[in-house]
Amino acid sequence: MREDGRLVLAGAPIGQAGDVSPRLREALRSADVVAAEDTRRLRRLAADLGVEIGGRVVSYYDANEAGRAQELIETLKEGRTVVVITDAGMPGVSDPGYRLTRLAVEEGVTVTALPGPSAVTTALAVSGLPSDRFCFEGFPPRKTGERARRLSALAGEERTMVFFEAPHRLAESLEAMAEAFGADRPAAVCRELTKTYEEVRRGGLAELAAWAAGGVKGEITVVVAGHVPDEGPPDVEALVAEVERRVAAGEQRKAAVAEVAKAAGMPKRELYDAVHR
């Protein structure tokens, strides 16, 4: 019977080495292979943590991901433990890791994760925007036309949206969002989360685009409020019925009309005429 190894997707800190979990420290010590997006950054992190990496360290980044994934699958089939770690955040979330995870699942290899800080949920939490329902859209397309089409398709999205963006493209992406979603659509630009110069800018998309045009540095996460659908005209018959219910309960008609109209966002005169009719 074949004894497979274990693939461990390790969440790396997004700014502060102190956010590393004890489980990640142990995984770096004990893994047979550590596949890192940037081996130099991995060794720097290990040095900051005072951790000695026990196994072999290999590079695993965008350019070599396809070929290296197959190599790592063979290592897993030999019964070894492979830890995948990126520069920041969780492997597979806009970072290398998806291809290897997919292959491991197809081969029946055990896949587990060591959760860690996430720029997506951290930005969502501090944005001040609704977080009960959200979607992650990754990096917007770089080309103007493709970006416009992608954002146009999201114009009716009612969930809060989270994007990553490079600092040198932030202003033009915010301008494109303002055009697709509306200049006043609430948003937040989260810069250098958990780091010394952390900054969160909140406002309408056009306002944020104007601010970003002055130049922005660092790791960027953008959170945009979802579309609020137009509820359409009020149900006048239902409002009249509510007024009549209040009057039957002893409330003065004039006061009942005023209260119901205010709650519905309807002019008092229109509701009064409807009640009279």
Side-chain angles (χ1 to χ4, degrees), residues 7 23 96 118 159 167 181 187 191 205 212 214 223 251:
L7 174 62
R23 292 180 64 205
S118 166
R159 294 171 294 180
F181 304 151
R191 187 180 72 85
L205 283 167
V223 186
E251 190 172 346

Side-chain angles (χ1 to χ4, degrees), residues 86-171:
T86 59
D87 293 344
M90 182 61 67
V93 182
S94 285
D95 274 327
Y98 166 71
R99 287 186 176 87
L100 178 57
T101 300
R102 185 187 63 192
L103 286 174
V105 170
E106 290 174 353
E107 292 287 344
V109 174
T110 298
V111 179
T112 188
L114 297 179
S118 166
V120 175
T121 52
T122 301
L124 181 67
V126 302
S127 69
L129 297 172
S131 58
D132 52 336
R133 297 176 65 235
F134 72 94
C135 59
F136 174 57
E137 290 295 327
F139 285 89
R142 297 185 181 187
K143 294 183 179 179
T144 302
E146 292 179 10
R147 181 173 57 220
R149 286 190 292 273
R150 174 76 62 81
L151 295 177
S152 177
L154 291 170
E157 174 59 66
E158 296 180 16
R159 294 171 294 180
T160 299
M161 297 169 283
V162 183
F163 300 85
F164 287 161
E165 188 52 286
H168 62 279
R169 290 195 297 269
L170 178 62

Side-chain angles (χ1 to χ4, degrees), residues 48-49 61 65 67 74 76 88 108 111 130 132 134 148 168 175 193 210 242 244 247 254 259 267:
D48 290 342
L49 298 175
Y61 54 95
E65 184 177 8
E74 297 305 317
L76 288 162
V111 179
D132 52 336
F134 72 94
H168 62 279
E175 290 174 3
L193 287 170
E242 173 63 14
E244 291 176 344
V247 171
K254 182 177 180 180
E259 287 295 323

